[in-house]
Amino acid sequence: MAKGEGSYVSFEDGRRMLDFSCGIGVTNLGHCHPKVSKAAADQCMNIVHAQCSIAFHGPYLRLIEKLIPIMPDPSLDSFFLWTSGSEAIEASLKMARLITGRQNIITMQGGYHGRTFGAMAVTKSKTSYSEGFFPLMPGVFTTAFPYWHQLGLPSSTSEAELVRQALYQLDLVLKQQTAPRDTAAILIEPVLGEGGYVQAPAAFLRGLREVCDKHGILLIVDEVQSGFGRTGKYFNIEYSGVRPDIMTMAKGLANGFPLSAVVSRKELTDKLKPGSMGGTYAGNAVSCAAAVAVTNAFREEKVLENVDARSKELFAALNKLKQDPEVASSIADVRGQGLMVAVEFASPLYSEHDPVLAQSAPKNLATRVAKRCMEKGLLILTTSVYEVIRFIPPLNISAEDLEKGCDIFTASVKEVVREG
């Protein structure tokens, strides 16, 4: 890549492509948003690096002032700004252990939280992220996420049944593997990212909150990918009304500048020991200035309203394709929220026990369709251990560019299915 402009990227060989990847959900306002890039450039001429253990800088404090009013719960009032999503997860794990005096962490099957050491240990979306690096951080236990495919159930399974099964499995984990008195936190992405873009039902999130409240366990909500407007609200957890004890964010926060945050409530963070949180580049001034501009752009440019409108158009196009007799048998699911959307395909390569095993479906559909889209000028990504393509277009994408991308995707799916 040589240049990015809005919803498009250009390559050194002259190709220009519509970008439905956004650097994996990072450039939520499109590439090189003028106000965001200008804010960063201006900050470069003031101060670039003011180490957080030495002094505060203005953009850091102004960003917190911008974030407080948009938090999903007013109790979330204590922030630490870092550089990457993995660092924010590492911080949340440290905080949970110190605050509760317990060690164990329960994470979700299919969850992705990063590739540094602690984050890698709680990542359960693919073995490729941890293969060869064992032993990992101890004290991690995995519970079921209410995703029909992982539970080995048909896609038509009711939400209530998925939630019932997942909460029952959590109950067994607490009885068979890690006692509540030894469990510091339950960690969850409200929408699985690398696990396949699967929304956690509100009833499941409320069930987790009840379990945590009953046993004094902290609920950590990872909004690194689903946050900052990606699903139509600033944070996906807002749809359920559930209060996180700790929440992490990154990716779209600064529209491409490295910045993450971990937020909790003061009564918990006051238990942290001085010096236990830190980092040379934590809360970089240039990244913070960019993030302040991002928050202003969301409000001034009515970004969330655009997400709502474009989401309806995207789902209409994908569901129309799913109902097309020519390809219907190859499409297992269309799901997601806002502009965090996925299409899952059937496959002849799945386990014999898999409900989406389809001997008649073409092999490797997701990878082949993504490649065909790129040949036609659309940059799009696969995700998960299943045959899934994810849609992560800019949140301010125009109706015309969204339609263009959907047309390319539709044509690509039909071509690949015909080829068999």
Side-chain angles (χ1 to χ4, degrees), residues 52-363:
C52 64
S53 298
I54 297 173
F56 286 113
H57 55 75
Y60 192 116
L61 300 178
R62 285 194 293 274
L63 177 57
I64 292 174
E65 291 172 347
K66 296 285 187 179
L67 292 176
I68 286 176
I70 64 173
M71 287 296 100
D73 190 273
S75 65
L76 297 173
D77 61 0
S78 186
F79 295 78
F80 191 88
L81 304 181
W82 235 304
T83 308
S84 71
S86 290
E87 284 181 311
I89 290 296
E90 298 281 355
S92 72
L93 299 178
K94 288 170 60 177
M95 289 168 61
R97 284 179 165 179
L98 184 63
I99 290 167
T100 63
R102 305 170 182 176
Q103 177 172 323
N104 294 344
I105 307 293
I106 296 176
T107 189
M108 298 290 146
Q109 183 182 6
Y112 176 86
H113 303 287
R115 282 175 255 199
T116 51
F117 209 70
M120 179 173 57
V122 293
T123 288
K124 304 297 178 183
S125 57
K126 291 179 184 176
T127 55
S128 58
Y129 298 131
S130 57
E131 184 178 0
F133 300 120
F134 283 77
L136 302 179
M137 182 186 77
V140 176
F141 298 85
T142 306
T143 194
F145 188 94
Y147 173 21
W148 57 268
H149 204 162
Q150 289 182 170
L151 292 171
L153 298 170
S155 59
S156 58
T157 305
S158 71
E159 180 179 288
E161 177 61 15
L162 295 174
V163 170
R164 187 194 71 79
Q165 291 218 23
L167 289 176
Y168 174 56
Q169 291 301 316
L170 174 61
D171 184 50
L172 289 179
V173 169
L174 291 169
K175 289 177 178 177
Q176 295 176 327
Q177 299 185 54
T178 172
R181 62 175 291 177
D182 296 322
T183 305
I186 296 175
L187 171 63
I188 186 172
E189 296 170 284
V191 184
L192 290 183
E194 293 291 319
Y197 278 34
V198 187
Q199 171 76 42
F204 181 65
L205 293 165
R206 289 194 292 267
L208 295 183
R209 183 70 271 173
E210 290 173 8
V211 169
C212 288
D213 288 342
K214 179 180 179 180
H215 298 296
I217 299 169
L218 298 182
L219 181 61
I220 304 174
V221 174
D222 180 348
E223 293 266 11
V224 167
Q225 187 165 175
S226 59
F228 250 75
R230 177 49 58 188
T231 65
K233 292 185 181 292
Y234 277 105
F235 301 97
N236 185 268
I237 198 70
E238 295 177 56
Y239 286 104
S240 68
V242 168
R243 171 185 57 81
D245 294 304
I246 301 172
M247 188 175 77
T248 62
M249 66 192 91
K251 288 190 182 285
L253 176 60
N255 209 57
F257 291 88
L259 186 68
S260 63
V262 57
V263 55
S264 185
R265 56 185 186 274
K266 190 173 184 296
E267 67 184 82
L268 297 181
T269 57
D270 278 352
K271 297 179 181 180
L272 298 174
K273 297 178 181 179
S276 62
M277 295 292 165
T280 298
Y281 298 102
N284 173 263
V286 177
S287 295
C288 286
V292 170
V294 167
T295 63
N296 291 337
F298 262 82
R299 183 182 65 255
E300 295 165 2
E301 299 172 20
K302 299 183 178 180
V303 172
L304 295 181
E305 288 90 334
N306 192 70
V307 173
D308 183 59
R310 301 291 82 78
S311 178
K312 290 182 173 68
E313 295 163 1
L314 177 56
F315 274 105
L318 296 179
N319 283 318
K320 180 181 178 182
L321 177 64
K322 185 176 185 292
Q323 294 159 11
D324 189 319
E326 186 180 359
V327 298
S329 63
S330 296
I331 298 179
D333 200 13
V334 173
R335 59 174 177 259
Q337 201 157 31
L339 290 177
M340 188 173 182
V341 178
V343 172
E344 180 169 344
F345 298 103
S347 174
L349 302 178
Y350 288 153
S351 161
E352 61 181 298
H353 310 295
D354 197 306
V356 191
L357 174 66
Q359 298 292 354
S360 61
K363 296 179 181 178

Side-chain angles (χ1 to χ4, degrees), residues 24-43:
I24 313 185
V26 172
T27 54
N28 280 1
L29 297 180
H31 293 279
C32 298
H33 186 283
K35 294 178 182 177
V36 177
S37 293
K38 184 178 187 305
D42 290 346
Q43 182 61 38

